[in-house]
Amino acid sequence: MGVKKFVKKGLGEMGFNAGGGVINWFPGHMAAASRAIRDRLKQADLVVEVRDARIPLSSANQDLQSHLSAKRRVIALNKKDLANPNIMPKWVRHFESFQQDCIPINAHSKTSVRKLLELVEFKLKEAILKEPTLLVMVVGVPNVGKSALINSIHQIASSYFPAQGKNKRATVGPLPGVTQDIAGFKIAHQPSIYVLDTPGVLVPSIPDIETGLKLALAGSVKDSVVGEERIAQYLLAVLNTRGTPFHWKHWNNRRAEGIRYDSAETVEHSLKDLRSRRKPLDKSSVLYIEDLVAEVQHALYLTVSEFNGNVEDENDLECLIEQQFETLQKALKIPHKASEARLMVSKKFLTLFRTGKLGPFILDDVPDS
């Protein structure tokens, strides 16, 4: 596949080692957190492993899998609103074929989180008969939405047990073999079920460069580690080899000839507004972003449709991506003389992808049965 050759040829020189091995950017506090998680896993009656629905395999913490597979576990594929809904059922069936419970969720949706908690209680039925107090542990690599899930669980738990809503965390009382400083939320009574939070931990070794790039694209690795330009190049390689711009042609048919945004007022707009879901965008901002997305999609469609090379050839693919950076600069209205134009193009393009404005994607391929 062209993208794999392109990754190896053009993007291979970075902090990821092709054969895995230690990565020098693995922070010391993450190593300590990994040890703490392994210790606490011994006490957990069930584990909710949160993964990014766009990268169901790449977002797994491989160093913990041997420990997690020995526990009752539910894999929560978070950010399902950003993932391709046509492919998601295939991933659920894939995990179920290994007798592994899996549920796609949106951590910002209370309805979605309640379904997850119902599954957790169902899975604990056996243990409920034996234990008066049960512990559920939530684990996941950074930026899979674990904190959003914990916050939603906290709000739901506070509606069940108002007293603990006054505190940021409800402390679990003294339990046999469990330290008293573990914080969690009570979600059920008789028996008592507590949900415990854990730090986001990234594995100290990554199996291959492409897995590292997928983690970076989803935001689980800091942009500064890999570089926004490299991540944007990888995203373009994926879009081109999948023929995604041709699908955009159909989606944006009414704007196929290109659009221009004109407002009666001079309004300052920024893609940064997309990164915070807390404040709703005003109408002019929504129109601006919609038109910007349509321009970006139309620009990439034109470059691919007029391209005479073979996207499966890494050299041809590299040439196409170079052309696309130029067209994206125009579509994103970035000044030609800007000294950091390429970096600005990469940042804006990645923001559109990460906020789902370019459409829903799943970057991992479902393994053959």
Side-chain angles (χ1 to χ4, degrees):
M1 186 178 178
V3 67
K4 292 188 181 297
K5 291 179 180 177
F6 173 75
V7 164
K8 188 174 181 180
K9 174 182 177 288
L11 303 176
E13 296 177 5
M14 56 177 65
F16 312 119
N17 294 327
V22 175
I23 293 176
N24 56 13
W25 48 268
F26 185 68
H29 74 274
M30 283 192 178
S34 291
R35 288 192 295 271
I37 288 173
R38 283 194 288 269
D39 290 340
R40 291 184 183 183
L41 273 173
K42 298 171 186 175
Q43 310 297 334
D45 297 286
L46 182 142
V47 178
V48 174
E49 184 187 4
V50 187
R51 300 188 188 180
D52 191 316
R54 296 167 297 177
I55 44 174
L57 289 183
S58 299
S59 57
N61 186 324
Q62 294 300 334
D63 283 13
L64 287 179
Q65 289 309 303
S66 61
H67 300 275
L68 297 177
S69 60
K71 310 290 294 186
R72 290 187 188 87
R73 173 175 59 171
V74 172
I75 294 177
L77 297 178
N78 189 31
K79 305 186 183 183
K80 71 173 186 177
D81 52 314
L82 300 177
N84 189 326
N86 299 320
I87 301 175
M88 188 56 65
K90 296 178 183 178
W91 275 104
V92 174
R93 289 196 295 271
H94 167 73
F95 286 113
E96 288 178 346
S97 70
F98 293 96
Q99 284 73 54
Q100 172 59 64
D101 289 279
C102 171
I103 179 171
I105 67 166
N106 177 354
H108 294 279
S109 164
K110 299 292 190 300
T111 302
S112 184
V113 175
R114 284 193 180 95
K115 287 181 180 178
L116 169 63
L117 294 179
E118 287 171 6
L119 177 58
V120 166
E121 286 196 54
F122 177 77
K123 292 296 295 178
L124 283 173
K125 270 189 174 180
E126 286 182 28
I128 281 173
L129 300 174
K130 305 172 186 175
E131 300 289 341
T133 303
L134 299 169
L135 299 180
V136 176
M137 203 166 166
V138 180
V139 301
V141 300
N143 207 39
V144 290
K146 193 167 62 67
S147 295
L149 175 59
I150 288 293
N151 288 338
S152 290
I153 291 174
H154 182 204
Q155 291 172 26
I156 292 169
S158 298
S159 66
Y160 296 161
F161 305 99
Q164 69 179 347
K166 297 175 183 178
N167 304 316
K168 187 178 180 183
R169 296 277 174 92
T171 304
V172 179
L175 299 169
V178 181
T179 57
Q180 295 184 32
D181 63 345
I182 295 179
F185 309 122
K186 190 175 185 178
I187 62 167
H189 186 58
Q190 290 183 338
S192 296
I193 300 177
Y194 288 90
V195 174
L196 310 182
D197 189 12
T198 59
V201 177
L202 193 67
V203 291
S205 60
I206 288 176
D208 58 77
I209 296 166
E210 193 170 4
T211 298
L213 285 165
K214 288 175 183 176
L215 286 165
L217 182 52
S220 290
V221 174
K222 287 183 179 180
D223 287 349
S224 57
V225 171
V226 182
E228 288 92 341
E229 189 178 325
R230 277 176 172 158
I231 304 171
Q233 285 175 314
Y234 172 68
L235 174 55
L236 286 168
V238 170
L239 297 177
N240 291 327
T241 52
R242 290 185 176 188
T244 304
F246 291 110
H247 298 296
W248 288 338
K249 165 71 174 176
H250 300 296
W251 296 344
N252 290 320
N253 201 36
R254 65 189 176 88
R255 297 182 178 184
E257 297 306 315
I259 49 83
R260 289 292 179 271
Y261 176 76
D262 295 305
S263 175
E265 304 173 36
T266 301
V267 186
E268 286 294 320
H269 299 285
S270 174
L271 289 178
K272 290 180 180 178
D273 294 337
L274 290 172
R275 294 176 183 172
S276 173
R277 296 189 178 191
R278 295 181 183 178
K279 62 174 182 178
L281 296 172
D282 59 50
K283 187 177 180 180
S284 63
S285 294
V286 170
L287 287 172
Y288 165 78
I289 291 166
E290 284 182 356
D291 287 354
L292 188 69
V293 170
E295 283 222 31
V296 166
Q297 293 178 335
H298 180 63
L300 294 180
Y301 163 74
L302 285 179
T303 56
V304 174
S305 62
E306 295 171 359
F307 181 61
N308 295 321
N310 178 9
V311 294
E312 295 299 324
D313 180 271
E314 66 269 26
N315 294 315
D316 286 356
L317 182 58
E318 192 172 357
C319 291
L320 173 60
I321 289 172
E322 283 301 308
Q323 292 175 28
Q324 289 175 323
F325 263 95
E326 292 179 15
T327 56
L328 282 173
Q329 184 174 344
K330 294 175 185 175
L332 293 166
K333 300 175 178 64
I334 294 169
H336 285 278
K337 293 182 180 179
S339 58
E340 296 183 346
R342 205 170 169 92
L343 178 61
M344 292 168 67
V345 167
S346 300
K347 285 184 174 182
K348 289 191 174 186
F349 186 50
L350 292 175
T351 297
L352 291 176
F353 171 81
R354 289 167 175 166
T355 52
K357 297 301 176 183
L358 296 180
F361 290 89
I362 294 182
L363 299 171
D364 284 338
D365 296 321
V366 183
D368 295 328
S369 299

